[in-house]
Amino acid sequence: MSSASNQKHTAILDAAYELFGSGGFYETKMSEVAEQAGIAKGTVYLYFKSKEDLFMAVTRRDCEGFLLQLQERLKASDTLASKLSIIAKHHLNYYYERKRHTKLFFRAPNNNPELVAYMTQFMEQYMQDVVKVLLEGGASEPELMAQSYIGMLDRLKMDILFDPSFTEEDAYKRADFAAGLFIRGAMIT
Amino acid sequence: MSSASNQKHTAILDAAYELFGSGGFYETKMSEVAEQAGIAKGTVYLYFKSKEDLFMAVTRRDCEGFLLQLQERLKASDTLASKLSIIAKHHLNYYYERKRHTKLFFRAPNNNPELVAYMTQFMEQYMQDVVKVLLEGGASEPELMAQSYIGMLDRLKMDILFDPSFTEEDAYKRADFAAGLFIRGAMIT
Amino acid sequence: MSSASNQKHTAILDAAYELFGSGGFYETKMSEVAEQAGIAKGTVYLYFKSKEDLFMAVTRRDCEGFLLQLQERLKASDTLASKLSIIAKHHLNYYYERKRHTKLFFRAPNNNPELVAYMTQFMEQYMQDVVKVLLEGGASEPELMAQSYIGMLDRLKMDILFDPSFTEEDAYKRADFAAGLFIRGAMIT
Amino acid sequence: MSSASNQKHTAILDAAYELFGSGGFYETKMSEVAEQAGIAKGTVYLYFKSKEDLFMAVTRRDCEGFLLQLQERLKASDTLASKLSIIAKHHLNYYYERKRHTKLFFRAPNNNPELVAYMTQFMEQYMQDVVKVLLEGGASEPELMAQSYIGMLDRLKMDILFDPSFTEEDAYKRADFAAGLFIRGAMIT
DNA sequence: AATGAATGAGTTTTCATTCAT
DNA sequence: CATGAATGAAAACTCATTCAT
């Protein structure tokens, strides 16, 4: 049971990730999710109690993966510079891999307090992970620093999402640029 | 026509800005916009051909105001550092003033190519304005620099939007922090 | 407006009366009501906010007619006996005229407190009308008397509803029987 | 089979009686019946072929009990007056005991010919039982008499069902009132 | 006999948009 | 230009019933 059950649970999440990600929350129909998952409409409701609930689950799985992977990768390095580089690469690489599922980030169900709360908490967690790195480097105002760094990365990811010709290579270059800029500043005048 | 017509046009835009901004695109009904504007439902369609069209117009007006105001403010200063400071202050102040209308930025109609195109072009224009400032300072890779700066600011704005106790004062402090970080870097290690 | 509006309002009530009455609440679809009324589905909702609301309105109109007509008819008579006869004839005649719409009484939406409240109040009003008549005749325990009389009539109506060969003539005979029985008793042993 | 099977059969009927009675046919879910009966959903269908079938069975069991008990009680008395009293007490007491399960009588599945047929037959049987008593007293028009008496009782039961403060004592008083009224009439004017 | 996961038909309601006045 | 009554497409969700185990 638990295995079969899990299989279907996962199939639904995968289908929903695909459709929410490429089409957006409002544009995706539950019947499409069911079809994509290869099951009946009613079955989706055996695993998720509503469309919003399903969206939350998709988001949660994705965000948790993001944080887990980040922590995993950070372990592998030691210097501050390399850690900042890893953060940047992870951030950009993450979006690079999700080029085709951008709607997940931009087109969430509106006015869902639970989702807002989760995203807030996710952002906080992400920021704290960066803060920890910065503190080892003795940064002052580490929270603003962390926010700024994440912000830089977040904007740099945009081209990835919108420019189809963007390569993974390009993503890594951008990551290094961001790390450098953050550490040394623009060094102008 | 022109004056009375313009008055109504503006009233609709104001109403739509208010409602889209505080409730989101999908949650706002055309009938509510009409009511808020003090006119009949059908009349809205004399000025805007669809709900999406209206949203576009609201967005466009807001973004144009953003860019115009920025250019205006930049004229008043001369050094690179002060210009960067002005950009940051303008960015954060802009969102500070729109605390109550955040949905405009997060809850747009999905899958509207025209809107995506416009936002892309707006971002490009904003970036070019920053690029121009950076070029005067002799920056290399000015586009990436500009994106990064804008990204920093964009993330720092988040607290403004989510933290109700944020003051205008706080916004300005953040702006200076951002400008400083951008110019000198984190200066760690 | 008011006239046209009223026309449509009435058309919907008539259609709903017909369909709820012959098919029952749960079996009647709003789309059928609209079709029968010769309008579009959405239009029904301009006049009644929900299916239950519509059912309430149909019921209310019918019950009010019942009470008004009764009071009208009672005015035309003076002796107690004739008044009791009128009540009986009115009761049975009322159901005779609604032979084809019995579901209205048996198949209401379940668990609708508003409807239950209204029916309770209607029954109370009906009973009070009968009580008033009985009091003029100096009856003791007039409420129980009234309830009993109404009960007799209500049961006698059953054949009307279920026996298709029942004639209006038969209904009047039954009415006289009931009045006689009520006044003089079964007179057995 | 017989014992275990019967046990389950009975458990389902009990559960269904409870739920249909307190919630109504349409509001009760087969899954709830199964849960209340302590078995699996599919098992219900081994004993009853459909929800309507189950409702029929619940109704049938209840009505049969009603008639059996009535006949039992009638045996214990001999005079006409005492028999009429017993009928009244039985009728009112029956509903008194079912105060919490009134939906069974008011909220049946619509448009089920089998159920309508059964209820008709039940009413006929009940009436015939009363007719038999009346005939012994030499009544004329015994069927109309019987219907009327049952009708009186049926209406008097209403307060029992709706007035929570009603006591068993009150029920018996009402029974005597009804018997008296039926035999002697209202004795007014 | 018993289970409970899976099915999918079926209906209310909303709301952007139209168009006769 | 302005109105607002009328339209009807569109989708989430429920739940009786089935059937493989």
Side-chain angles (χ1 to χ4, degrees), chain D residues 4-157:
Chain D
S5 165
N6 252 313
Q7 244 172 251
K8 222 153 259 191
H9 188 95
T10 302
I12 297 169
L13 280 178
D14 290 345
Y17 172 75
E18 186 65 32
L19 295 170
F20 283 146
S22 60
F25 178 79
Y26 286 101
E27 285 69 14
T28 298
K29 295 172 213 160
M30 289 298 263
S31 59
E32 291 172 346
V33 172
E35 192 185 16
Q36 168 96 358
I39 58 174
K41 213 183 334 173
T43 309
V44 177
Y45 286 86
L46 296 178
Y47 293 87
F48 301 93
K49 77 172 193 292
S50 71
K51 192 183 179 184
E52 296 210 342
D53 189 42
L54 175 56
F55 189 89
M56 268 293 299
V58 168
T59 303
R60 183 173 272 132
R61 183 176 71 163
D62 201 46
C63 288
E64 276 167 11
F66 179 91
L67 293 176
L68 280 174
Q69 200 179 40
L70 174 61
Q71 279 150 15
E72 204 57 46
R73 288 177 176 177
L74 281 177
K75 280 188 199 151
S77 100
D78 40 15
T79 73
L80 176 63
S82 73
K83 279 183 174 174
L84 286 174
S85 168
I86 280 171
I87 289 170
K89 281 179 173 127
H90 171 258
H91 190 112
L92 295 178
N93 180 252
Y94 173 80
Y95 285 103
Y96 185 78
E97 284 174 349
R98 278 153 187 78
K99 278 172 90 99
R100 280 178 35 257
H101 298 97
T102 61
K103 306 284 171 65
L104 210 54
F105 320 116
F106 298 127
R107 299 179 181 178
N110 296 355
N111 293 341
N112 182 334
E114 208 186 344
L115 181 63
V116 170
Y118 181 74
M119 289 310 292
T120 304
Q121 180 240 296
F122 163 73
M123 277 310 310
E124 176 70 17
Q125 182 60 53
Y126 184 17
M127 189 190 69
Q128 287 306 336
D129 287 350
V130 179
V131 161
K132 221 172 84 187
V133 168
L134 293 177
L135 277 177
E136 295 169 11
S140 62
E141 304 231 54
E143 299 212 342
L144 286 184
M145 290 274 181
Q147 295 279 45
S148 300
Y149 193 46
I150 293 172
M152 279 171 48
L153 300 171
D154 226 46
R155 177 67 52 169
L156 293 175
K157 101 198 169 193

Side-chain angles (χ1 to χ4, degrees), chain C residues 4-16:
Chain C
S5 167
N6 252 309
Q7 243 170 255
K8 217 151 267 190
H9 187 93
T10 302
I12 296 170
L13 279 179
D14 290 344

